Every structure is written in C-alpha cells, then in structure tokens.
Amino acid sequence: MWAIITQIFPYAVAFTIPLLITSLGGLFSERSGVVNIGLEGLMVVGSFTSALTISSLYPVMGSAAVWMGLGAAVLAGAAFSLLHAFASINLNANQVISGTAINMIAGALTVFFARNITGSGNIQIVSGLSRRSIPILKDLPIVGPLFFTQTYTTTWLVLLILFGAWFLIYKTPFGLRLRSCGEHPQAADAAGVNVYLIRYIGVIFSGAFAGLGGAIILVTYSGEFNGSVAGLGFLALASLIFGQWKPLGILAATFFFGFASTIANVSQVIPALALIPGLVLKAFPYVVTLIALVIFSKSSQAPRAAGEPFDHGKR
C-alpha cells in the first residue's frame, strides 16, 4: 500500500499545482467582487503563449526558454483578463456571461493562431521542466518520499505564491481593501477606496495566475498545446468554492481534486486500478467535484458583493 501511495503522490502534486495557482487567481478576483468563470479560457491562453514562446526561443536559449515561457504566460493571462475586467467593471456586464465569452474566445482564438503557425492546431515543446529530488530532505522518513522526491521547481514556486497571497490578503492594507470591495463596495468607496482600481487589480491577478497555471500544465506533464486544459479551469473554480474563498482552504481542496484526477490519469500503470473500467476512472474527478459541491453548497460563504456591479454614483 505504501509503495502505491509513494508512486501516486508525485503525480498528485503535479496535478494539484496548476489547480492551486489558478484557484488563487480566482480568489483574488472574487474577493474583489468580480466573479471570474473565465479561468479555463485564461489557462488556455497561458498554455498557448507559453508553448509558442518556448518553441520559438528554445533553439537560442535552451532550457532557459521554459522560464521565459512561464513569464510570457503570466503577462498574456493578465492582458487577456482585461477584457473581462472592462466588461464587468466599466460596462457593468453580467459577469457570468462575460466569463463564458472569455472561455469561448480564448479556445477559438488560440487554436486559430496555432493552426496558422503549425498547420495542425497543436504546438509541441522540445523540453519542459524535469523532476528533481531535494538532497537530504528526500531521505526524511514518510515526508521525504512524498514531498521531496521527484518534484518540479514550479511546485515550490506556487507554494511560495500561496503563502505570499495569504499574507497579502490578511496582513496588508491592500488585502483589507480587496476584501472590503468584495463584501461592502459602497462602504469601501465611502472610506476613500478606489473600488474600480481594486477590482481591476483582482481580475488582473486572476488572469496572471490562471495563465501561469496553464503554462505549468504544459511544462510539467503535458508537453503540448492542443487548445484545451481538460476542464481544469472549472475544477479550479470548484476548488475555490470548496475551499471557502480562503488560501489554505483552497490548498486542501485543490489537493483533494488533484488526487482524484491523478487516480484517473495513472490508473493504467497501477495494477489495482487497472481492473476498474477506464470510463469510470475518467469521470471520477468530475463526479467527486459535483458531490463535494452539493454537500458543501449550503455552508458556502462567498464574498457578499461577488457578481454585483458597482456604480460609483450610487451608495
């Protein structure tokens, strides 16, 4: 049993990390009062931008092109999210419809560009990130084989961002303003907070983090852009709800869903799971998501003003 756990765990962490960073992006947006269901599309934009950057720069820069690709994905996701921000904040558009439009536009636009560039709609990268074990720590009992063996550098980067996000949201003046705009934007406006600016920043964070999430999928276990991230943007949104819009809650929720996805994806190499029909295992993470949302929907405490347009002239 222990051998199976140590075999699955590195894969579970790999699937968890892009979910985690994308959910954190959704956290910033919804804490500011803007619902962003366009996380899926923003992940696709990040994956496309990263693939294009890496495939173009790898012959010149080698492995350093991977990090350039990650940076480009962050910038592209942030820029693309401005469409959602403008529609939701300035035009007071329905935020759910705007997010849906982002998902549709992102998938179609990136595949169109990929087809014009490669002729097939797919962009493969020559090399991504490699797994590494951390010396000394990998030899620790129990936690060593689970957390410090065969890990990606992006795992530790995202965990650092997670705790940075927790500190920013709960321990800084900006975090207080962000939360106030998602709870009582009129009161925040009366106190002198620029609600429009804070909400823009929240949405930009969501785009940057979702773009990074899509790029991490590419450089860790995917290796190819194909116009989709297999619904992980929606799983990230479910993790945000399941984690009660709190950074540490999101960490637990994303690991839960990441582990469920891992069981579906590595089932064929584990004899005990290979006996279960593939269709059942493929549907498993999504069924688990639905069950979790049904169970915890009544206790969900979303930011009170999430999804509500703000008009500076009305208080």
Side-chain angles (χ1 to χ4, degrees):
M1 183 64 180
W2 177 249
I4 294 176
I5 293 175
T6 54
Q7 186 180 6
I8 290 178
F9 209 84
Y11 293 99
V13 172
F15 279 108
T16 297
I17 291 304
L19 278 177
L20 175 58
I21 190 63
T22 305
S23 291
L24 284 177
L27 172 68
F28 275 92
S29 182
E30 298 210 5
R31 278 290 189 178
S32 73
V34 179
V35 172
N36 189 357
I37 69 167
L39 297 176
E40 176 92 357
L42 294 168
M43 290 182 79
V44 171
V45 168
S47 178
F48 167 75
T49 306
S50 182
L52 184 60
T53 302
I54 294 171
S55 62
S56 300
L57 296 181
Y58 192 84
V60 179
M61 302 182 64
S63 59
V66 174
W67 293 101
M68 294 296 292
L70 292 173
V74 170
L75 295 176
F80 206 79
S81 68
L82 289 174
L83 294 174
H84 181 56
F86 180 73
S88 302
I89 300 169
N90 293 91
L91 303 182
N92 288 340
N94 185 293
Q95 295 171 13
V96 174
I97 294 176
S98 176
T100 302
I102 291 294
N103 289 333
M104 297 173 67
I105 293 171
L109 197 62
T110 54
V111 169
F112 171 77
F113 283 125
R115 283 179 178 173
N116 279 274
I117 294 169
T118 66
S120 67
N122 294 2
I123 301 176
Q124 292 184 339
I125 60 173
V126 177
S127 177
L129 292 177
S130 57
R131 293 177 180 270
R132 295 179 180 178
S133 298
I134 300 177
I136 301 175
L137 294 179
K138 68 181 179 64
D139 297 322
L140 293 174
I142 302 178
V143 295
L146 296 181
F147 293 100
F148 303 111
T149 301
Q150 299 297 307
T151 64
Y152 292 106
T153 308
T154 48
T155 298
W156 305 107
L157 172 64
V158 170
L159 289 177
L160 184 63
I161 293 173
L162 167 69
F163 290 106
W166 174 86
F167 182 84
L168 184 64
I169 290 173
Y170 291 109
K171 301 295 181 181
T172 66
F174 170 78
L176 179 61
R177 296 187 184 100
L178 182 79
R179 288 181 285 129
S180 66
C181 289
E183 295 288 344
H184 301 287
Q186 286 78 18
D189 181 55
V193 176
N194 188 332
V195 177
Y196 291 144
L197 177 61
I198 295 296
R199 288 190 168 185
Y200 257 96
I201 293 173
V203 175
I204 290 172
F205 264 112
S206 74
F209 286 178
L212 179 59
I216 288 174
I217 292 173
L218 176 80
V219 302
T220 54
Y221 60 84
S222 172
E224 179 185 57
F225 166 79
N226 58 11
S228 172
V229 289
L232 289 184
F234 296 109
L235 277 181
L237 193 61
S239 300
L240 175 64
I241 299 169
F242 192 30
Q244 294 292 297
W245 292 268
K246 297 177 181 177
L248 298 184
I250 289 173
L251 174 62
T254 50
F255 183 75
F256 174 75
F257 292 130
F259 199 84
S261 298
T262 303
I263 291 176
N265 284 280
V266 303
S267 58
Q268 298 304 313
V269 298
I270 299 176
L273 296 176
L275 300 175
I276 304 174
L279 181 62
V280 174
L281 289 170
K282 289 294 182 183
F284 178 69
Y286 304 101
V287 173
V288 167
T289 301
L290 287 174
I291 293 173
L293 289 177
V294 168
I295 293 174
F296 291 94
S297 60
K298 291 185 178 180
S299 61
S300 295
Q301 297 179 349
R304 295 178 186 178
E308 296 181 5
F310 171 74
D311 190 341
H312 178 74
K314 295 181 180 180
R315 291 184 181 175

